[in-house]
Structure formats: structure tokens, C-alpha cells
């Protein structure tokens, strides 16, 4: 039995012991999301499929898995789901513009040598592919932030049912401020952890600071992180407003 199986078993046991039935559903959700990602990769390279439309559908499915399958259908997950969809639409429009203006689509010179034996004339729009990849990278953090805000706001309303809509919204913003810094830094360090080999490449080949910040592959990842941070920032007031609007009936 290889290391992957053992690590999977240990993860399942810990999630089951700590999370109970919800922990089991969370473990299974990992494989469901992995399946959605695999299907997305297959369809994104199909010339007749619009990557933007398909990635929106994929994000909806991922949000349903992470919210409704794990936490069941309730007021907390419904408000988090609505907030996630609104944020995705706003962020997607912004990301498409950024991808076109910054010209980060395609491959950097560090990747060209490995791909030189293949033809890049595959009939797909690389701008839309780049936008789809960035929104897919941000969906997990956006969904996590949305439920992290809607859940305590629902608890606040449960214990203080006479709270006004404005006060509940303000409480959500305060909660979001505590989450914002850690969520943005999580995305930042995930980049450096995943692309440590790229940074070592820059060091070995004596890249100057100017060459690093102008590298396409570096810029593509940094822009992806910044767009994800913008999405996290947007989902906080959106979730706070949607939750307050749905829970408090004035």
C-alpha cells in the first residue's frame, strides 16, 4: 500500500473522528471536487466549448458540493451560495478584462522549451482559458469566506432575534475583517509553496529583480493571487448584506 493511500486513510480517520458525519462528507467532497476539476480540464480544451460559460457552471457545481453537500441546505448555506454566485459574476467580468490587458495568456519562456515539440494551434481562446483558470483558483477561497461569515451571522441572529438589519450587517463586516487578512495570506503562501521550484529556477539562472517581475509565468500567478484577494474582499460585504437582508425581516 503506497504513501498516498496511507495518507488518505489517516486524513479520513481524523476527519471522521473530529467532524463526524460532516467530516465524512467533507472527505468525500474532496473527490467530488477533483472530478469536477478533471471534467473542466477536458472541456476547457474543446474548441467548441466557451470556457467562460463552462467555468461558471463548474463553479456553481463546486459551490453546491462545498456548501449544500457538506453543510446541507439551510439559511447559512443558501446565503453563502447566493453571495458566492454574485461575487463570481463580478469577479469574472473583472478578470476577463485584466487577462486581455495584461496579456498573461499562453505560456512563458520557462515553459516553451518543454512544449516546443507540440503544436499550440489547438483552436482555443487562451485569454478565456487564463480567465477560467484564475476564477477556478479563487472559487475555493470565496466559498470558504462566504460560509465563514454567514455561519456566525446566523448564530448572532439566532441568539439576538431582535437585532436590526444594519447592526447584523455591521457584525458581518467585523467578522470579515478578521478573516480577510488570513485568507489573503493563505493564497499568497500557497503560491510560494507551489512555485518554490520556479523561484529556485530564477535564482539558479541569476534572474534580476526586473526579469522576475516581468516574467510572464510569475506575473500570471501573482495576478491570479491578487484577483483571488479581490474576490475575497468583495464576498465579505456581499455576504454580510445578503445574510442580513434574508434573516432580518423589517
Amino acid at each position: 500500500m503506497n504513501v498516498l493511500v496511507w495518507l488518505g486513510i489517516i486524513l479520513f480517520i481524523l476527519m471522521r473522528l473530529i467532524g463526524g458525519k460532516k467530516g465524512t462528507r467533507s472527505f468525500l467532497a474532496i473527490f467530488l471536487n477533483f472530478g469536477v476539476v478533471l471534467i473542466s480540464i477536458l472541456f476547457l480544451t474543446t474548441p467548441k466549448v466557451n470556457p467562460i460559460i463552462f467555468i461558471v457552471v463548474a463553479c456553481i457545481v463546486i459551490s453546491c458540493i462545498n456548501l449544500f453537500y457538506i453543510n446541507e441546505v439551510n439559511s447559512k448555506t443558501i446565503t453563502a451560495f447566493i453571495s458566492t454566485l454574485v461575487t463570481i459574476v463580478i469577479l469574472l467580468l473583472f478578470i476577463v478584462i485584466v487577462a486581455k490587458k495584461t496579456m498573461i495568456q499562453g505560456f512563458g519562456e520557462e515553459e516553451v522549451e518543454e512544449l516546443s515539440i507540440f503544436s499550440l494551434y489547438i483552436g482555443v481562446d487562451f485569454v478565456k482559458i487564463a480567465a477560467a483558470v484564475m476564477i477556478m483558483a479563487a472559487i475555493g477561497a470565496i466559498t470558504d469566506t462566504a460560509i465563514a461569515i454567514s455561519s456566525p451571522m446566523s448564530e448572532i441572529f439566532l441568539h439576538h432575534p431582535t437585532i436590526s438589519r444594519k447592526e447584523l450587517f455591521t457584525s458581518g463586516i467585523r467578522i470579515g475583517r478578521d478573516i480577510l487578512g488570513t485568507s489573503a495570506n493563505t493564497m499568497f503562501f500557497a503560491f510560494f509553496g507551489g512555485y518554490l521550484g520556479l523561484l529556485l529556477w530564477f535564482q539558479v539562472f541569476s534572474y534580476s529583480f526586473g526579469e522576475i517581475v516581468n516574467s510572464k509565468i510569475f506575473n500570471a500567478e501573482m495576478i491570479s493571487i491578487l484577483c483571488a484577494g479581490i474576490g475575497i474582499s468583495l464576498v465579505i460585504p456581499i455576504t454580510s448584506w445578503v445574510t442580513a437582508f434574508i434573516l432580518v425581516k423589517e
Side-chain angles (χ1 to χ4, degrees):
M1 192 175 295
N2 58 28
V3 178
L4 291 177
V5 176
W6 277 111
L7 290 175
I9 292 173
I10 294 172
L11 177 62
F12 173 75
I13 292 173
L14 291 175
M15 294 180 73
R16 176 65 182 180
L17 291 176
I18 297 173
K21 293 182 179 179
K22 187 174 290 187
T24 303
R25 290 197 295 267
S26 299
F27 181 80
L28 296 175
I30 296 174
F31 297 95
L32 294 176
N33 287 326
F34 182 68
V36 174
V37 172
L38 286 180
I39 296 173
S40 301
I41 293 173
L42 294 175
F43 277 93
L44 287 178
T45 55
T46 304
K48 294 182 179 180
V49 175
N50 189 328
I52 301 299
I53 296 176
F54 182 80
I55 209 64
V56 171
V57 175
C59 288
I60 292 173
V61 175
I62 291 173
S63 300
C64 290
I65 293 172
N66 292 339
L67 295 173
F68 299 135
Y69 176 70
I70 296 176
N71 299 294
E72 301 179 348
V73 180
N74 50 57
S75 60
K76 295 178 288 187
T77 54
I78 291 174
T79 53
F81 180 73
I82 295 172
S83 305
T84 300
L85 293 187
V86 173
T87 305
I88 287 173
V89 172
I90 297 173
L91 187 62
L92 188 57
L93 296 174
F94 175 75
I95 284 177
V96 171
I97 297 173
V98 170
K100 288 182 178 180
K101 296 296 183 180
T102 55
M103 302 294 290
I104 59 173
Q105 71 275 9
F107 304 96
E109 61 181 13
E110 294 82 9
E111 303 167 302
V112 170
E113 184 177 351
E114 299 177 357
L115 300 170
S116 59
I117 61 174
F118 301 104
S119 173
L120 299 180
Y121 296 99
I122 57 177
V124 296
D125 190 337
F126 278 95
V127 174
K128 293 181 179 179
I129 293 292
V133 171
M134 284 193 284
I135 197 67
M136 181 66 79
I139 181 62
I142 292 173
T143 305
D144 181 64
T145 304
I147 192 66
I149 294 173
S150 66
S151 181
M153 286 183 67
S154 298
E155 290 297 318
I156 292 173
F157 180 75
L158 179 65
H159 294 286
H160 302 281
T162 58
I163 190 172
S164 68
R165 183 176 292 170
K166 182 178 180 181
E167 290 173 339
L168 186 60
F169 172 79
T170 304
S171 298
I173 295 296
R174 291 198 190 100
I175 296 168
R177 287 171 182 167
D178 296 332
I179 298 172
L180 180 61
T182 55
S183 298
N185 278 284
T186 299
M187 299 293 295
F188 179 75
F189 286 110
F191 161 75
F192 280 98
Y195 279 83
L196 185 59
L198 175 65
L199 300 178
L200 292 175
W201 172 288
F202 290 151
Q203 192 275 330
V204 169
F205 288 94
S206 302
Y207 274 54
S208 66
F209 179 76
E211 289 174 327
I212 293 175
V213 298
N214 285 285
S215 171
K216 176 180 281 191
I217 186 171
F218 180 83
N219 273 277
E221 292 303 321
M222 289 305 299
I223 289 173
S224 179
I225 293 172
L226 293 174
C227 288
I230 292 172
I232 294 171
S233 302
L234 284 175
V235 79
I236 291 172
I238 292 173
T239 305
S240 300
W241 186 85
V242 171
T243 306
F245 181 81
I246 292 178
L247 292 181
V248 181
K249 308 296 183 183
E250 293 183 344

